[in-house]
Amino acid sequence: MSVFAILDPAVRLAHDVVAALAQVVPTALAIVLFTVCVRLALHPLARAAARGEKSRARLAPRIAELNRKHKGRPEKLQAALSELYREEKASPFSGCLPMLVQIPFFSVMYRLFTTPNDLLGHTLFGAPLGLHIRSAHGAGEWAVFGVLYAGLAALGYVNFRRARRAQAKQAAQAPRSTQGAPAQPALAFLPYLSFGTVLFAALVPLAAAVYLLTTSTWTAAERAWLYRDGAPEPAVPALA
């Protein structure tokens, strides 16, 4: 039995909701509407994460000073950082919460669109929602996939640029003793993960690609709105 079977009750609920929406709008649009509704419900977590990120940016100089003051004394440093976060009512982990909460939803949608069901028999501009890119034939089906992938690639590029700018800003604000030091290869590679959604979309049916484009567009717009005041963004790229 697949490990995803534990998600079957949630998958059935998601199927029923999308199927109900598909009674009044095209199925592809029903997927979009369902995804938007879920992301709207998760928006308060994203707002909390943005507040946490702004708090960490504001506290960065004090954290750097604590690192300098307690260098070589990890226990004292950890205690000082805990006290600082407690005083400022901030958390170093708040930015991870929205991503972690989205994982179950992403898993449910993945299960829904990779398990045979009646929704996948519907079409988007003539291309079946259960169709994989490797099985596409004809100009119409290739055009549908091409438009979706182009949209995902464009969003990936936007997120790539934003992640690169965030890394550059963090480097400029780093303590002078660390400025000019070569970036760690793993950190330098992070912005390129923005294009991972395009690669993943090539492995899943058309319906899942519609979901990925919708949730990625939401994430990009949400970040632009939440950080519209010029506050520093996370250097981790928005993947979905």
Side-chain angles (χ1 to χ4, degrees):
M1 183 174 63
S2 170
V3 66
F4 288 107
I6 195 174
L7 299 173
D8 282 351
V11 172
R12 285 193 292 270
L13 177 60
H15 171 276
D16 292 345
V17 173
V18 175
L21 290 171
Q23 297 297 316
V24 293
V25 298
T27 304
L29 181 57
I31 294 171
V32 172
L33 293 176
F34 178 69
T35 304
V36 167
C37 288
V38 173
R39 291 304 307 269
L40 185 62
L42 295 177
H43 180 68
L45 293 177
R47 293 180 65 89
R51 287 195 298 270
E53 192 65 35
K54 292 174 183 179
S55 295
R56 287 193 295 276
R58 177 173 52 83
L59 296 175
R62 296 174 64 183
I63 293 174
E65 176 60 23
L66 289 175
N67 279 312
R68 185 197 63 78
K69 180 179 179 180
H70 299 292
K71 185 177 181 180
R73 295 180 294 175
E75 293 182 358
K76 288 185 176 292
L77 174 61
Q78 186 59 46
L81 289 175
S82 298
E83 180 64 24
L84 175 62
Y85 285 127
R86 185 164 50 251
E87 288 178 356
E88 298 293 334
K89 297 181 180 180
S91 169
F93 306 111
S94 59
C96 301
L97 186 57
M99 184 179 299
L100 294 176
V101 171
Q102 287 182 50
I103 290 176
F105 173 61
F106 178 84
S107 300
V108 167
M109 299 300 279
Y110 174 82
R111 177 80 169 168
L112 177 61
F113 297 136
T114 55
T115 303
N117 62 74
D118 57 309
L119 296 175
L120 302 182
H122 294 255
T123 62
L124 173 62
F125 297 112
L129 291 174
L131 183 68
H132 285 75
I133 182 66
R134 62 178 179 272
S135 302
H137 57 85
E141 292 180 354
W142 281 104
V144 172
F145 278 105
V147 169
L148 287 175
Y149 292 168
L152 286 170
L155 287 170
Y157 180 72
V158 169
N159 291 330
F160 171 80
R161 293 289 301 273
R162 294 172 75 92
R164 288 287 294 269
R165 286 198 298 268
Q167 281 191 343
K169 185 174 292 187
Q170 287 185 4
Q173 294 175 348
R176 293 192 176 188
S177 59
T178 62
Q179 290 184 2
Q184 298 181 17
L187 296 179
F189 179 75
L190 274 179
Y192 292 93
L193 294 179
S194 302
F195 298 103
T197 308
V198 185
L199 299 177
F200 186 77
L203 304 176
V204 294
L206 180 61
V210 172
Y211 156 71
L212 287 172
L213 180 60
T214 305
T215 193
S216 297
T217 301
W218 178 281
T219 298
E222 186 175 62
R223 280 199 170 191
W225 171 257
L226 292 175
Y227 295 96
R228 65 191 183 280
D229 55 359
E233 298 185 47
V236 178
L239 301 180

